[in-house]
Amino acid sequence: MNLLGIFHSHSDPSAALMMDDKVVAFVEEERLSRQKHSFGAFPTRAIRWVLKRGGLALTDVDAIVQAWDCAKYDGGHIAGHYDKINLSYPTTEGDRAYQQNLLQLYRSETQRSLIRRALWREFGDVELPEIRFVNHHLAHACATFFSSGFDEALVMSVDGSGEEITTSWWHGRDGALELLHEVKIPHSLGWVYSAFTEYLGFEAYDGEYKVMGLAAYGSPNSEVQGKIAQLLWPDDHGGFETNAMLLTRGSHSWSHYFSDALVQHMGRQPAWRDQPVTDWHKDVAFAVQQRLEDVVFSMTRYWTRRTGVRRLCISGGVGLNVKMNGNLFESGIVDDVFAYPLCADLGQSIGAALAYRYQHAGLTRQRLSDLYLGPGFSDEEIERVLRDCRVEYRKSENISGDTAGLLMEGKVVGWFQGRIEAGPRALGARSILADPRNEAARDRVNAAIKYRELWRPFCPSMTREGAERYFDRFTEAPFMVITFRANSRAKAEIPAVVHVDGTSRPQIVDEETNPRYHNVIAEFGRLTGVPCVLNTSFNIKGEPIVCTPQDALRTYFATGLDALAIGNCLLEKFR
């Protein structure tokens, strides 16, 4: 069975190719179009690339699958739910227009028409595979449970919304998923976090991680915490409720994501872009993060008691909240946590394919080991680009060792190797590396290369030995989607990758999965005694992670990078 999974109609469109029970290719459209998040685009470039990678024509695909249950829109299910909401809450013309737009957009006929037109423009008048739709939260749940390697687990899928569902709880065991509970719009943790992302002056669906990072600088503020507590709270049956009239309903003068009533409730005007961050903004971020965790902890505690299951799988866009994931792991409510690294909708092209196969042929549990699923370039292809661009470089007999030596000297190095990693985190394929012992190196990466806010944290890549050295308690963490409490040795030896709240979000690198990158870290450890490097994504603010050698060269020459390790070639400035 050859399945082409796609995601579109919103931000971060993507495509994935699944051949039998293995995902062989995945890429986000933004990596190829070079438009951050590719809002509203159809993933035509991504589709063409995954098919090429799999050696297939479009006609070789058995089904095109999308993670949206369009039957709910066809049969009046969603319209009926909207009617219930509108009877319960005062409704504006804008609310109704928004609902009507979604009712039309996600009908099967509309979606099939959009997909057919886009594919015919790209591939010509060919006979298309059948187009199938699967439930949005089932796709999230399949992606995390069947990638976790757990034989039994609780599964929490939590996002803005998928169809009418915003949070769902499942029991995974014996190769099957049993639905336990659903929370429905207008009650949404994702919507709450996006509302405050925009209220604090950032962009929804892009700046949520900034709110999470800013929260570490805040302090308990009883007035602010009291206001946030009035907006969302856990219920008595494993879910939660929100005050929709203070969050999403009514007039929206500043943002689609929060109402004017929220501004009145908070008692201050929303922040504007690039406004200086005050202590009050930090305290709001602190309170929002804390309240999110309180609600999620309450739900998790309820379902662990009901089921007796103490392993937790997480997916849905809220699952990118790495601080929440880490505190769940530390809480004692569960014994282990697996957060799917592509838990936001950008990974739903994979989730759709997995859910369709689960429904039609079944899935086997396989622990996800790596995300190197995108385009890659051979050493010969890379060298041809370097020659064509007429840049000076030298061939390296030991690119890992040479890179480690540069890092020891305090240099900041662009690292471009192998197939690009999927998702928002750099995992040693398209990374910027620096010395984690030196906070000045961290600040230079922020100021001269990444051009981003100085209060945002950086993350470490480390060997297993490094994790044992710097964390007293941790679990498998190859994807930078969970934080751990850094011990005193970490704070002393690698301060550049320990956040102000004393946590760190590591990538624990396996030698078999990425031997060249593992060798950099191991060699840096041999030279310095520190088996860890600072790792951030190879891009600058507002741009996608670099994909091609040409992308890497543009970023290298446009920033303060000292060197570029690309394939087995090394470029250096001022050498």
Side-chain angles (χ1 to χ4, degrees), residues 122-151:
E122 184 71 14
F123 295 97
D125 187 9
V126 298
E127 183 176 352
L128 297 180
E130 60 182 357
I131 300 170
R132 298 292 188 181
F133 305 104
V134 296
N135 181 273
H136 189 83
H137 277 264
L138 175 63
H140 277 314
C142 284
T144 187
F145 177 63
F146 290 103
S147 301
S148 70
F150 296 155
D151 55 357

Short mmCIF file of all heavy atoms in Angstrom, two decimals, residues 122-151:
data_model
loop_
_atom_site.label_atom_id
_atom_site.label_comp_id
_atom_site.label_asym_id
_atom_site.label_seq_id
_atom_site.Cartn_x
_atom_site.Cartn_y
_atom_site.Cartn_z
N GLU A 122 -0.08 20.81 -11.36
CA GLU A 122 1.32 20.40 -11.17
C GLU A 122 1.70 19.20 -12.03
O GLU A 122 2.81 19.14 -12.57
CB GLU A 122 1.54 20.04 -9.69
CG GLU A 122 2.96 19.68 -9.33
CD GLU A 122 3.91 20.87 -9.34
OE1 GLU A 122 3.44 22.03 -9.38
OE2 GLU A 122 5.14 20.64 -9.33
N PHE A 123 0.78 18.24 -12.20
CA PHE A 123 1.12 16.99 -12.86
C PHE A 123 0.40 16.78 -14.19
O PHE A 123 0.65 15.77 -14.87
CB PHE A 123 0.81 15.81 -11.93
CG PHE A 123 1.65 15.78 -10.69
CD1 PHE A 123 1.17 16.30 -9.50
CD2 PHE A 123 2.92 15.24 -10.71
CE1 PHE A 123 1.94 16.28 -8.34
CE2 PHE A 123 3.71 15.22 -9.56
CZ PHE A 123 3.22 15.73 -8.38
N GLY A 124 -0.49 17.69 -14.56
CA GLY A 124 -1.22 17.50 -15.80
C GLY A 124 -2.50 16.71 -15.58
O GLY A 124 -2.82 16.28 -14.47
N ASP A 125 -3.20 16.47 -16.66
CA ASP A 125 -4.50 15.80 -16.61
C ASP A 125 -4.29 14.29 -16.50
O ASP A 125 -4.45 13.53 -17.46
CB ASP A 125 -5.30 16.15 -17.87
CG ASP A 125 -6.72 15.61 -17.79
OD1 ASP A 125 -7.11 15.14 -16.71
OD2 ASP A 125 -7.42 15.65 -18.81
N VAL A 126 -3.90 13.86 -15.29
CA VAL A 126 -3.66 12.44 -15.04
C VAL A 126 -4.78 11.89 -14.17
O VAL A 126 -5.50 12.64 -13.51
CB VAL A 126 -2.30 12.21 -14.34
CG1 VAL A 126 -1.16 12.70 -15.23
CG2 VAL A 126 -2.26 12.91 -12.99
N GLU A 127 -4.93 10.58 -14.19
CA GLU A 127 -5.92 9.95 -13.33
C GLU A 127 -5.38 9.96 -11.90
O GLU A 127 -4.32 9.41 -11.60
CB GLU A 127 -6.17 8.52 -13.77
CG GLU A 127 -7.26 7.83 -12.95
CD GLU A 127 -7.58 6.44 -13.47
OE1 GLU A 127 -7.06 6.07 -14.54
OE2 GLU A 127 -8.35 5.73 -12.79
N LEU A 128 -6.13 10.60 -11.03
CA LEU A 128 -5.66 10.77 -9.65
C LEU A 128 -6.07 9.58 -8.79
O LEU A 128 -7.10 8.93 -9.03
CB LEU A 128 -6.24 12.04 -9.04
CG LEU A 128 -5.84 13.36 -9.71
CD1 LEU A 128 -6.50 14.52 -8.98
CD2 LEU A 128 -4.32 13.53 -9.68
N PRO A 129 -5.27 9.28 -7.76
CA PRO A 129 -5.68 8.26 -6.79
C PRO A 129 -6.94 8.73 -6.06
O PRO A 129 -7.30 9.90 -6.08
CB PRO A 129 -4.49 8.18 -5.83
CG PRO A 129 -3.36 8.87 -6.52
CD PRO A 129 -3.96 9.87 -7.43
N GLU A 130 -7.61 7.79 -5.39
CA GLU A 130 -8.76 8.18 -4.58
C GLU A 130 -8.30 9.09 -3.44
O GLU A 130 -7.20 8.96 -2.92
CB GLU A 130 -9.46 6.94 -4.01
CG GLU A 130 -8.60 6.07 -3.13
CD GLU A 130 -9.34 4.84 -2.65
OE1 GLU A 130 -10.54 4.72 -2.95
OE2 GLU A 130 -8.73 4.01 -1.96
N ILE A 131 -9.15 10.03 -3.08
CA ILE A 131 -8.85 11.00 -2.03
C ILE A 131 -9.67 10.62 -0.80
O ILE A 131 -10.91 10.55 -0.87
CB ILE A 131 -9.16 12.43 -2.48
CG1 ILE A 131 -8.32 12.79 -3.71
CG2 ILE A 131 -8.90 13.42 -1.34
CD1 ILE A 131 -8.73 14.09 -4.38
N ARG A 132 -8.98 10.36 0.31
CA ARG A 132 -9.64 9.90 1.53
C ARG A 132 -9.39 10.87 2.68
O ARG A 132 -8.39 11.58 2.69
CB ARG A 132 -9.11 8.52 1.92
CG ARG A 132 -9.38 7.44 0.88
CD ARG A 132 -10.86 7.14 0.78
NE ARG A 132 -11.12 5.98 -0.06
CZ ARG A 132 -12.34 5.52 -0.32
NH1 ARG A 132 -13.39 6.13 0.21
NH2 ARG A 132 -12.51 4.46 -1.09
N PHE A 133 -10.31 10.87 3.64
CA PHE A 133 -10.20 11.75 4.81
C PHE A 133 -10.28 10.92 6.08
O PHE A 133 -11.04 9.95 6.16
CB PHE A 133 -11.32 12.79 4.79
CG PHE A 133 -11.37 13.59 3.52
CD1 PHE A 133 -12.34 13.34 2.56
CD2 PHE A 133 -10.43 14.58 3.26
CE1 PHE A 133 -12.38 14.07 1.38
CE2 PHE A 133 -10.45 15.31 2.09
CZ PHE A 133 -11.44 15.05 1.14
N VAL A 134 -9.49 11.31 7.07
CA VAL A 134 -9.51 10.63 8.37
C VAL A 134 -9.69 11.66 9.47
O VAL A 134 -9.42 12.85 9.28
CB VAL A 134 -8.21 9.82 8.61
CG1 VAL A 134 -8.08 8.69 7.60
CG2 VAL A 134 -6.98 10.71 8.58
N ASN A 135 -10.11 11.20 10.62
CA ASN A 135 -10.35 12.09 11.75
C ASN A 135 -9.06 12.75 12.21
O ASN A 135 -8.03 12.10 12.36
CB ASN A 135 -10.98 11.27 12.89
CG ASN A 135 -11.29 12.11 14.11
OD1 ASN A 135 -10.44 12.31 14.96
ND2 ASN A 135 -12.52 12.60 14.17
N HIS A 136 -9.13 14.05 12.47
CA HIS A 136 -7.95 14.84 12.78
C HIS A 136 -7.26 14.35 14.06
O HIS A 136 -6.04 14.15 14.09
CB HIS A 136 -8.36 16.31 12.94
CG HIS A 136 -7.22 17.26 13.06
ND1 HIS A 136 -6.55 17.77 11.97
CD2 HIS A 136 -6.63 17.82 14.15
CE1 HIS A 136 -5.59 18.59 12.37
NE2 HIS A 136 -5.61 18.64 13.70
N HIS A 137 -8.01 14.15 15.12
CA HIS A 137 -7.40 13.75 16.38
C HIS A 137 -7.00 12.28 16.39
O HIS A 137 -6.06 11.90 17.10
CB HIS A 137 -8.32 14.08 17.56
CG HIS A 137 -8.18 15.50 18.02
ND1 HIS A 137 -7.37 15.88 19.06
CD2 HIS A 137 -8.72 16.65 17.53
CE1 HIS A 137 -7.44 17.20 19.22
NE2 HIS A 137 -8.24 17.69 18.30
N LEU A 138 -7.68 11.45 15.61
CA LEU A 138 -7.21 10.07 15.46
C LEU A 138 -5.84 10.06 14.80
O LEU A 138 -4.96 9.28 15.19
CB LEU A 138 -8.20 9.26 14.62
CG LEU A 138 -7.75 7.82 14.30
CD1 LEU A 138 -7.60 7.00 15.57
CD2 LEU A 138 -8.71 7.17 13.31
N ALA A 139 -5.63 10.93 13.81
CA ALA A 139 -4.32 11.02 13.15
C ALA A 139 -3.24 11.43 14.15
O ALA A 139 -2.14 10.86 14.17
CB ALA A 139 -4.38 12.00 11.98
N HIS A 140 -3.54 12.44 14.98
CA HIS A 140 -2.58 12.83 16.03
C HIS A 140 -2.29 11.66 16.97
O HIS A 140 -1.14 11.39 17.32
CB HIS A 140 -3.15 13.98 16.86
CG HIS A 140 -2.96 15.34 16.26
ND1 HIS A 140 -1.76 15.77 15.73
CD2 HIS A 140 -3.81 16.41 16.14
CE1 HIS A 140 -1.88 17.01 15.30
NE2 HIS A 140 -3.11 17.42 15.54
N ALA A 141 -3.34 10.96 17.38
CA ALA A 141 -3.18 9.87 18.34
C ALA A 141 -2.39 8.71 17.75
O ALA A 141 -1.52 8.13 18.42
CB ALA A 141 -4.56 9.39 18.81
N CYS A 142 -2.67 8.35 16.50
CA CYS A 142 -1.91 7.28 15.85
C CYS A 142 -0.43 7.64 15.74
O CYS A 142 0.45 6.80 15.98
CB CYS A 142 -2.48 7.01 14.45
SG CYS A 142 -4.01 6.07 14.44
N ALA A 143 -0.15 8.88 15.37
CA ALA A 143 1.24 9.30 15.18
C ALA A 143 2.04 9.13 16.46
O ALA A 143 3.18 8.65 16.43
CB ALA A 143 1.29 10.74 14.69
N THR A 144 1.49 9.51 17.59
CA THR A 144 2.27 9.46 18.83
C THR A 144 2.29 8.06 19.43
O THR A 144 3.33 7.58 19.87
CB THR A 144 1.79 10.51 19.85
OG1 THR A 144 2.70 10.52 20.95
CG2 THR A 144 0.39 10.27 20.34
N PHE A 145 1.14 7.36 19.47
CA PHE A 145 1.14 6.05 20.12
C PHE A 145 1.98 5.03 19.37
O PHE A 145 2.81 4.33 19.95
CB PHE A 145 -0.28 5.53 20.28
CG PHE A 145 -0.34 4.15 20.89
CD1 PHE A 145 0.14 3.92 22.18
CD2 PHE A 145 -0.85 3.07 20.18
CE1 PHE A 145 0.11 2.65 22.74
CE2 PHE A 145 -0.89 1.80 20.74
CZ PHE A 145 -0.41 1.59 22.02
N PHE A 146 1.80 4.95 18.06
CA PHE A 146 2.51 3.93 17.29
C PHE A 146 3.97 4.29 17.04
O PHE A 146 4.73 3.47 16.54
CB PHE A 146 1.77 3.64 15.99
CG PHE A 146 0.46 2.93 16.19
CD1 PHE A 146 -0.74 3.61 16.12
CD2 PHE A 146 0.44 1.59 16.51
CE1 PHE A 146 -1.94 2.96 16.33
CE2 PHE A 146 -0.76 0.92 16.73
CZ PHE A 146 -1.96 1.61 16.65
N SER A 147 4.38 5.50 17.40
CA SER A 147 5.79 5.90 17.32
C SER A 147 6.49 5.82 18.67
O SER A 147 7.71 5.98 18.74
CB SER A 147 5.91 7.34 16.79
OG SER A 147 5.34 7.46 15.50
N SER A 148 5.73 5.61 19.74
CA SER A 148 6.29 5.68 21.09
C SER A 148 7.06 4.43 21.48
O SER A 148 7.95 4.49 22.35
CB SER A 148 5.16 5.90 22.10
OG SER A 148 4.34 4.74 22.21
N GLY A 149 6.71 3.29 20.89
CA GLY A 149 7.29 2.02 21.32
C GLY A 149 6.65 1.45 22.57
O GLY A 149 6.98 0.34 22.98
N PHE A 150 5.72 2.19 23.20
CA PHE A 150 5.04 1.69 24.39
C PHE A 150 4.03 0.62 23.99
O PHE A 150 3.30 0.78 23.01
CB PHE A 150 4.29 2.82 25.11
CG PHE A 150 5.16 3.91 25.67
CD1 PHE A 150 4.65 5.19 25.86
CD2 PHE A 150 6.48 3.67 26.01
CE1 PHE A 150 5.44 6.21 26.38
CE2 PHE A 150 7.28 4.68 26.53
CZ PHE A 150 6.76 5.95 26.72
N ASP A 151 3.95 -0.46 24.77
CA ASP A 151 2.94 -1.48 24.50
C ASP A 151 1.57 -1.04 25.01
O ASP A 151 0.54 -1.47 24.48
CB ASP A 151 3.33 -2.83 25.10
CG ASP A 151 3.62 -2.74 26.60
OD1 ASP A 151 3.58 -1.62 27.15
OD2 ASP A 151 3.90 -3.79 27.20
#
